[in-house]
Amino acid sequence: MRSHLLNGTTAERYRSSVTEGVERVAARLATASQPFTTASADGLAPRIDAVDLDEPLHDTRAALDELDELYLRGAVRAHHPRHLAHLHAPAVIPAVLGEAVLSATNSALGTWDQPAGAPLIERRVIDWTAERIGLGPAADGAFTDDGAHAELQALLLAREEAGDRDPATLRIFVSEAAHLGVRRTARLLGLGDDAVVTVPTDRSKRLQTVALARALERCARDDLSPMAVVATAGSADFGSIDPLPEIARLCAQYGTWLHVDAAYGCGLLASRRNRHLIDGIEHADSVSVDFHKAFFQPVGSAAVLVRDRALPDLRTGRRFDALKLWMTLRVMGANGIGDLFDEVCDLATRGWKTLVADPRFDVVTEPQLSTLVFRYIPAKICAPAAIDRANLYARKALFASGDAVVAGTRAGGRQYLRFTLLDPGTTTADIEAVLDLIAGHAEQYLGEHLDRAC
Ligand SMILES: *Cc1c(COP(=O)(O)O)cnc(C)c1O
């Protein structure tokens, strides 16, 4: 068994078993004709259950063959041009290379007696991010597995800042388009269900600052403590960006911690054309970013950045995830990443124009980032609930066919569909083709349920 350790084998055998895996994955991913194959989870479960984990295959190639059957063949392909569903980016190759290197070297960053380059590289990438945000010289930060943990760390600091105030009086303000994770975070912080105050959005799904001002005023009047405002720079559903400068002014006025959730909008930090859309982010006390969304990194790669304090990090087993972004910046540069993000945003704008011009669809709002929320509407008058079901049906039928993967969401109480465009390889023609497929499935549903539906 020692031969499975690097010091128990030869460099040549080590290299050949690693490259064999890489070649297998490359062949599978590069030849995928569909974003998803219909090998259903139902079919896989008994086969995965049947694997005897106490009976190893003792052969890398055989294990890869088995893995191909059980996983690779059926995995949803984030990099397929008709994978339009989630904030799930196709990973750029330099980052995948970084991932392989960090797994192979297996650095753990909790201690400084690790290879010195690793923590120094991590520090440079954190400083680079803080500089892009404009947080100033006292900024600190840390890599995290995901955006949820980044936000949790930030709000822990906000809670500390609130001192010994009665936790029952602490309030966190978010827009109604904010990520649902804020509620979970509040619970983890031991705050009550009343702690999260939802502020309405405007037609573009951006937080209404007039309503926020009123909510903060009410909070002060009721002797409650405005612990934090969580502004969203790119909502998961709509890509909407809250008016950061006005929110920052209100936070300064009320002495409230400003956290900016830039899990999605962080791609603009690298954009040459659209950085201005997140102007005001530099006033934040803390920012969370998901590099594994808008920086085209493999999951997990996220970070929390704070303006003016040292961020305690107690994890001795911290992964060297910074290496993925480092490799990306060294090979492609920030402009390379920003250009890719600009491309998907431009694609969304073209998709929006297509949707607006197409009477078969209703589209919620002009995209600020790379998200389109729309629904099929039939030419004849139908019950709203039937239209909801037709859209839901279209989404499921599309997924079952393996032709495309799209997301669903609700807006104004009704069922909508969502394209989250993160693959620069997606074209306007892909969007048009998928829209035709959606309309076809929805029409088929309404045709079959015509008597009851319309
Ligand atoms: C994805 C997302 C999150 C959560 O990030 P994870 O990395 O999935 O934990 C939070 N906020 C927004 C706006 C997001 O898009």
Side-chain angles (χ1 to χ4, degrees):
M1 290 301 126
R2 294 264 308 276
S3 67
H4 291 286
L5 294 168
L6 177 53
N7 63 8
T9 188
T10 62
E12 178 50 37
R13 278 183 44 211
Y14 182 76
R15 195 184 64 80
S16 68
S17 40
V18 172
T19 42
E20 173 131 12
V22 171
E23 274 167 11
R24 190 71 73 99
V25 171
R28 260 288 162 236
L29 297 188
T31 58
S33 60
Q34 287 186 307
F36 179 66
T37 64
T38 43
S40 73
D42 287 350
L44 283 177
R47 279 153 61 201
I48 291 177
D49 283 346
V51 172
D52 186 347
L53 291 176
D54 293 318
E55 280 295 329
L57 297 163
H58 291 301
D59 180 59
T60 306
R61 195 165 297 166
L64 284 169
D65 286 342
E66 180 183 85
L67 190 69
D68 194 57
E69 279 282 305
L70 298 179
Y71 167 62
L72 278 178
R73 221 177 264 202
V76 168
R77 283 139 172 69
H79 64 277
H80 192 283
R82 293 193 185 178
H83 177 280
L84 311 171
H86 304 289
L87 279 163
H88 182 180
V92 291
I93 294 166
V96 176
L97 177 59
E99 179 83 63
V101 172
L102 74 93
S103 293
T105 50
N106 203 19
S107 300
L109 297 197
T111 44
W112 274 83
D113 54 8
Q114 287 286 328
L120 296 171
I121 285 175
E122 183 188 49
R123 164 77 15 223
R124 279 295 306 277
V125 177
I126 286 290
D127 288 349
W128 177 87
T129 310
E131 257 168 52
R132 284 261 159 177
I133 295 171
L135 287 181
D140 191 11
F143 269 81
T144 61
D145 292 344
D146 57 24
H149 281 89
E151 189 167 276
L152 175 63
Q153 285 207 41
L155 291 182
L156 263 170
L157 293 176
R159 192 172 191 248
E160 258 174 49
E161 187 84 359
D164 49 13
R165 297 273 203 147
D166 175 2
T169 67
L170 299 180
R171 293 292 177 270
I172 302 170
F173 299 84
V174 295
S175 93
E176 58 189 3
H179 199 260
L180 294 174
V182 180
R183 285 185 184 282
R184 202 172 41 216
T185 302
R187 275 201 297 277
L188 286 171
L189 292 175
L191 306 181
D193 280 345
D194 296 340
V196 178
V197 179
T198 309
V199 180
T201 52
D202 63 16
R203 282 177 46 207
S204 307
K205 306 292 176 187
R206 295 151 41 103
L207 178 143
Q208 285 186 34
T209 44
V210 176
L212 175 63
R214 239 184 276 128
L216 285 165
E217 187 55 51
R218 205 176 311 125
C219 182
R221 210 175 45 228
D222 295 347
D223 247 354
L224 300 170
S225 314
M227 181 187 114
V229 173
V230 176
T232 305
S235 61
D237 262 351
F238 302 98
S240 48
I241 300 167
D242 289 341
L244 302 177
E246 289 87 340
I247 293 173
R249 266 196 292 281
L250 285 169
C251 284
Q253 184 183 338
Y254 286 88
T256 302
W257 184 280
L258 172 58
H259 177 73
V260 176
D261 174 358
Y264 179 11
C266 64
L268 296 176
L269 294 172
S271 166
R272 283 186 272 193
R273 279 195 279 121
N274 297 321
R275 170 64 177 77
H276 63 93
L277 293 176
I278 47 168
D279 279 355
I281 195 171
E282 67 278 8
H283 300 304
D285 294 292
S286 56
V287 178
S288 47
V289 295
D290 264 6
F291 298 120
H292 61 223
K293 289 176 179 167
F295 272 68
F296 306 93
Q297 299 293 293
V299 285
S301 178
V304 55
L305 292 309
V306 292
R307 162 178 302 288
D308 61 2
R309 64 199 63 212
L311 202 63
D313 201 328
L314 307 173
R315 296 166 299 164
T316 47
R318 193 164 85 253
R319 279 166 56 91
F320 184 24
D321 280 318
L323 183 62
K324 298 184 274 192
L325 184 53
W326 173 272
M327 284 301 289
T328 305
L329 293 175
R330 296 311 296 140
V331 176
M332 300 169 61
N335 290 345
I337 286 292
D339 289 352
L340 289 182
F341 195 65
D342 285 348
E343 274 185 51
V344 291
C345 294
D346 288 349
L347 178 68
T349 301
R350 292 199 301 275
W352 177 73
K353 286 181 182 151
T354 303
L355 279 162
V356 167
D358 190 333
R360 297 174 299 173
F361 296 99
D362 161 41
V363 55
V364 174
T365 179
E366 186 173 354
Q368 288 181 280
L369 296 177
S370 64
T371 294
L372 294 166
V373 180
F374 62 94
R375 65 202 232 118
Y376 169 81
I377 38 168
K380 56 172 149 325
I381 294 173
C382 283
I387 303 177
D388 284 352
R389 283 196 298 273
N391 279 281
L392 215 50
Y393 173 86
R395 173 174 173 233
K396 289 190 179 141
L398 211 53
F399 189 70
S401 72
D403 290 333
V405 186
V406 307
T409 190
R410 294 188 75 83
R414 304 260 59 112
Q415 181 65 45
Y416 276 78
L417 301 173
R418 189 179 72 220
F419 289 166
T420 304
L421 305 171
L422 276 183
D423 183 355
T426 303
T427 62
T428 314
D430 286 314
I431 289 181
E432 286 167 0
V434 175
L435 289 176
D436 284 343
L437 289 170
I438 288 169
H441 289 302
E443 275 156 21
Q444 187 201 338
Y445 176 88
L446 289 172
E448 283 167 12
H449 299 77
L450 193 63
D451 298 342
R452 276 176 288 142
C454 305

